[in-house]
Structures are given as structure tokens and as C-alpha cells.
Amino acid sequence: MRRVSARLIPFLGLCFFVASLDRTNISVAALTMNEALGLSAQKFGLGVGAFYVTYVLFSVPSNLVLSRLGARIWRAVLLITWGIVSTMMAAVRDGGGLIIARLALGAAEAGLFPGVVFFALRWFPSTHRARFTALFVACGVAAAAIGPLISVPLLRLENVLGLHGWQWLFIIEGLPAVLLGLSCLHFLTDNPAQASWLSREESTWLIEKIEGERQAINEETNLQILGTPILWMLVLSAGVEIGTSCLGYWLPTVLKGMDFTNAMVGLLASCFGLCGMVGMYLWSRRSDRRQERLWHLAIPLLMSGLGLVVAGSVLSHVALALPAMCMAVIGVTSAAPILWAMPEQYLPPRNVAAGIALINSVGNIAGIVSPAAVGTVRDLTGDFHLALIASGAPMVLGALCIPFMALSQSRRLVPRPR
């Protein structure tokens, strides 16, 4: 497993780092782009949310294509496509163009995260899966931690070759995805049986281990699976995307509204992201050690929701608001890997690929509504107080629902033996 981890995690993590950077760098670009294009907070929020429309629509088809075509080829296609689309964000001239560009980016990125979660089912036994997911997701969080330090200096390239700084930001940060796509064809392997870098004994052990776990899963019909509380709990818990969208796309603007400079905004956002990375890894490791998921999901959901509510309530008091926002970042990043370690435990093998994509799609519906809603509330009220509170409340509600789901699950489902 050390050999598998060393081979796959760095490369897939780098892909997710680039994907997260290309998806969220618009939050830094907004510091100058919105004024240059005359975008209100509502129009910017609509553009951000447009990403999730196609992201939701294409997640299930993309995962089904991956399960047939293989991760190596399909991942390369996605990487090259979204890299090109990301660089073309520099050509945006108004709110309509922003929406079109974000729709295209969402379609290209739709298969990445659910595809990697499905890919992990072929390579990582259950005792390693949450840690893999945590390390993979940590690379996305690293984009939140490191991204501002990369993106903010690019804003200074104003008028270089006649382009704005925010245009250079999209061009420079989009190109790595194309290069990764080309290297994907050489580097990835679809399954352990094809891995020339494993010995025959190693690949046989891994195949038998994972296949044995699959056979131990409680087999239910499609109709029964859709009716089980555990699946709908996963869908509900995917509402963590509300907090992710709020913090991922609006945090720099919120900090800017607290009279911080662009450089200070980048530094604070990076510090929050670093705290999130550390908290996520430690929490996921604890979940794997104890082989417990539900309560390890409920606690960070509650933590993040309360953090946003508190931050919104005391936003004018910087000394109180900043720790609350940091707590929200830690909570939302810690919840994600626990959530994505769970589907394979409760879904039959034939449902896993579509199930992961479905959960991802339904959860990301919040990504369509949340950014635009935050922007609208900001325009109506003149600040982010109410917007942050409204973003935190659904996460608190989701956390409070999990105990009831846990009770229902213990009565109706038989998870696979450990």
C-alpha cells in the first residue's frame, strides 16, 4: 500500500490541486475583475454558480464513461479540456461571458472528483480509503491555502502585453492542466492487474483484498438503495457544498470588506487553508483508526455551520470573526473525506460509480444556488452578515439530522463486516 500510495496519490493530488485552483481562482480575480467588468455581487455570484449547473448535469454521465473507458484515457481528456477552458476565461468581457465560461468549465471538471473516488475503490482497501481521500482532498484544500499566494501576485501583471492582471491569472493557472493531461496517458494505470510497477504477489493480494470486501457488501436492489436513509443522509450531508461555496468563492471578498489589503487577504486565506489541511488529515486518520464515519461526519459539519453563523453575527469585530471563519474552514474541509469514504460501504458494487456521481451531483446543487444567493443578499443588505449566517444554518441542520440517520441505519442496513 505504501507503493500504491506513493505512485498514485501525488499525481492525482496534483490534478485535484490544479482543478481546485482553476475552479476557485475566480475568487481572487474578483478583487479587480468585478470592477473592470462592472459586475455586481449578484452577477458575480451567478457566474460562480453557473459552474455547478453543468458540473451537476455531467457528473453521472462522466463517471459512467470512466467506468467503461478507463481512468487513464478519460482523465487525460478532462484535464486537457478544462485547462483550455480555464485559459479562455481571460477572454470574458461581461456577466454573460462569465456565465458561459463557467458552464464550460463545470462540464469539463464534472468527472474529476467522483471519478477519483470511484478510482480509489479499485486501488485502496477500506482501511486505507479515508486517508487516501483525505490526502487527495488535502490537495484541493492546498489550493485554498497556496492558491492565494500564487494568484494575488499575478494581479500585479496589469497592462503586461496589454492584458489585465486577472487575465494573466487565468492564462497562467490554466496551462498546468493541459500538461498534466498529456502526462496522464503515461502515468496512470486503470487497475492493479495492469500495474507493471507492482509484483505479481502484490497485485494479486490487492485484487483479492478489494474483491473480498466487495462481496461482503450487503446486496440490495436499486429501489431499496434509493429508499435507504443512509443514501439520503449522504446526499443531505453533501450540503457541505454550501459552506464550501461560501468560503471558497467569497472569503477573499469578505476579508477585503474588512479593510485588509490584497496581500493580507491572500495571507489570511492561506493560513485558513493550512489549518484546514492539518485538521482534515488528523480527523480522517482518526476516522480510519476507529472505522467510524457517521459521527466523524456530524461533528465537523456542526463545527463549520456554527463557525459561519458566529462569523456572520460578529463580522464587524475582526478579533472574533477571524477565528470563527477559521473554524468554519477546518470543519468544512474535515467533513469532505469522511463523506466520500462512505458510499462504497453501503452501496452494492454495481451502484457505486453512479451512486458516487449522484451524491456528488445532488450535493453540488447547493453550489448553483449558494454563490448567487450570497451575492444577492450582499447587494440587498450591503454586507455579508446575513449571507454568512444563512450559509451556516443548513450545515447545522444537516449535522443534527445525522443522529437520526445513524439510528435508522443501525436498524435497517447491515454494513459490510470489518
Side-chain angles (χ1 to χ4, degrees), residues 86-405:
S86 184
T87 60
M88 292 180 65
M89 288 279 293
V92 168
R93 292 291 180 269
D94 52 32
L98 178 63
I99 290 174
I100 292 172
R102 293 286 293 181
L103 286 171
L105 186 63
E109 284 199 26
L112 176 67
F113 188 81
V116 169
V117 173
F118 177 66
F119 185 71
L121 305 182
R122 297 184 174 183
W123 283 97
F124 291 89
S126 61
T127 52
H128 294 79
R129 202 166 293 140
R131 269 173 288 182
F132 161 76
T133 309
L135 289 170
F136 176 70
V137 174
C139 294
V141 179
I146 302 172
L149 298 180
I150 300 172
S151 300
V152 170
L154 294 178
L155 295 178
R156 299 173 185 170
L157 299 177
E158 190 69 21
N159 292 324
V160 174
L161 299 180
L163 297 177
H164 293 292
W166 60 268
Q167 291 176 305
W168 280 114
L169 185 156
F170 289 129
I171 293 171
I172 292 173
E173 294 184 353
L175 291 177
V178 178
L179 299 177
L180 283 172
L182 296 174
S183 62
C184 205
L185 295 171
H186 169 73
F187 201 83
L188 278 190
T189 308
D190 286 330
N191 56 67
Q194 300 173 356
S196 60
W197 41 273
L198 289 179
S199 68
R200 177 172 296 182
E201 292 78 10
E202 289 171 332
S203 61
T204 300
W205 173 85
L206 187 55
I207 292 169
E208 291 178 352
K209 176 74 172 176
I210 293 175
E211 187 59 31
E213 291 181 347
R214 287 180 182 175
Q215 293 176 358
I217 295 174
N218 181 37
E219 293 283 352
E220 299 191 30
T221 66
N222 293 345
L223 182 61
Q224 287 174 322
I225 285 296
L226 290 175
T228 55
I230 189 65
L231 179 59
W232 296 118
M233 183 279 298
L234 291 172
V235 173
L236 176 63
S237 299
V240 70
E241 184 61 39
I242 293 176
T244 302
S245 296
C246 179
L247 293 166
Y249 293 113
W250 288 105
L251 182 60
T253 305
V254 172
L255 294 173
K256 182 72 174 178
M258 299 169 73
D259 295 327
F260 290 112
T261 64
N262 286 350
M264 195 63 188
V265 167
L267 181 60
L268 285 172
S270 295
C271 289
F272 291 167
L274 181 61
C275 291
M277 286 177 61
V278 174
M280 177 179 61
Y281 178 74
L282 294 177
W283 192 246
S284 299
R285 189 176 178 181
R286 185 179 190 273
S287 176
D288 267 351
R289 261 199 327 266
R290 295 177 178 253
Q291 283 292 283
E292 197 286 320
R293 307 298 189 204
L294 293 179
W295 297 107
H296 280 81
L297 177 61
I299 292 172
L301 270 177
L302 183 62
M303 178 179 174
S304 184
L306 290 177
L308 284 173
V309 171
V310 172
S313 302
V314 298
L315 194 57
S316 55
H317 302 283
V318 176
L320 298 176
L322 291 182
M325 283 189 280
C326 186
M327 182 175 79
V329 170
I330 294 172
V332 78
T333 52
S334 297
I338 309 301
L339 173 67
W340 293 111
M342 294 171 65
E344 187 267 346
Q345 183 174 346
Y346 299 106
L347 296 180
R350 64 178 178 272
N351 296 112
V352 171
I356 289 170
L358 174 64
I359 294 167
N360 187 59
S361 295
V362 174
N364 279 300
I365 289 175
I368 301 173
V369 179
S370 179
V374 170
T376 300
V377 174
R378 164 65 179 81
D379 284 343
L380 290 175
T381 62
D383 57 48
F384 285 97
H385 287 81
L386 186 58
L388 293 178
I389 294 173
S391 296
M395 302 184 73
V396 174
L397 178 61
L400 295 178
C401 287
I402 289 178
F404 299 100
M405 296 295 181

